[in-house]
């Protein structure tokens, strides 16, 4: 299993047209899943099998100066972790009671035989 990479490249761009051209070039490289701008002169590319050297050299052909800033694994967002924790909490029975007795009142008898309350 390959991990996702996050590649940050610094490109000197003058106008909006050159920014859109840089995105088109970055997305055309094999293995790229997403590309976005970070600030005025950096482009962030994520993907599984991205070759940072190939990506930088393609951008250099069109923009003359492209500098590879960093390459590293993509970090999981905290929101995704929180959602996973919420799902785990929903699966656990409330108050430690089995699922059959969660919604019943104390006076009602339990219909399922494995219930340990009554």
């Amino acid at each position: 299993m390959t991990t996702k990479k996050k590649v940050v490249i610094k490109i000197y761009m003058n106008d909006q047209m050159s920014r859109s051209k840089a995105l088109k070039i970055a997305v055309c490289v094999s293995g790229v899943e997403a590309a976005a701008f970070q600030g005025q002169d950096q482009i962030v590319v994520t993907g599984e099998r991205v070759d940072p050297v190939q990506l930088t050299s393609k951008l250099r052909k069109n923009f003359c100066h492209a500098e590879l800033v960093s390459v590293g694994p993509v970090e999981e967002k905290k929101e995704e972790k929180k959602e996973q924790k919420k799902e785990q909490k929903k699966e656990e029975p409330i108050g430690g009671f089995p699922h059959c007795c969660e919604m019943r009142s104390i006076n009602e008898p339990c219909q399922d035989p494995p219930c340990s309350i009554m």
Side-chain angles (χ1 to χ4, degrees):
M1 185 175 126
T2 59
T3 60
K4 287 188 178 185
K5 293 181 187 177
K6 178 181 175 183
V7 180
V8 181
I9 300 173
K10 188 173 186 176
I11 307 170
Y12 295 103
M13 297 172 280
N14 298 332
D15 56 352
Q16 185 63 31
M17 189 173 188
S18 61
R19 290 171 64 91
S20 63
K21 187 177 178 181
L23 274 180
K24 286 179 185 177
I25 293 169
V27 172
C28 289
V29 175
S30 65
V32 174
E33 294 177 1
F37 286 107
Q38 183 179 24
Q40 290 290 334
D41 59 350
Q42 288 185 348
I43 187 168
V44 179
V45 178
T46 57
E48 284 192 15
R49 295 182 178 160
V50 179
D51 185 11
V53 175
Q54 178 188 11
L55 179 62
T56 306
S57 64
K58 280 195 175 191
L59 289 168
R60 277 186 188 147
K61 286 180 183 179
N62 291 296
F63 293 98
C64 295
H65 187 75
E67 180 183 342
L68 186 60
V69 177
S70 68
V71 178
V74 176
E75 298 174 0
E76 266 190 60
K77 294 182 179 178
K78 292 181 180 180
E79 295 173 5
E80 292 176 2
K81 291 180 182 178
K82 288 180 183 178
E83 289 176 9
Q84 290 175 354
K85 287 181 181 179
K86 286 180 183 178
E87 289 175 4
Q88 289 176 354
K89 287 181 181 179
K90 288 180 183 178
E91 293 174 3
E92 295 175 4
I94 299 172
F97 296 118
H99 179 69
C100 66
C101 299
E102 285 180 9
M103 302 304 288
R104 299 189 199 314
S105 68
I106 297 174
N107 296 333
E108 289 182 22
C110 187
Q111 302 294 329
D112 297 330
C115 185
S116 62
I117 293 178
M118 295 296 226

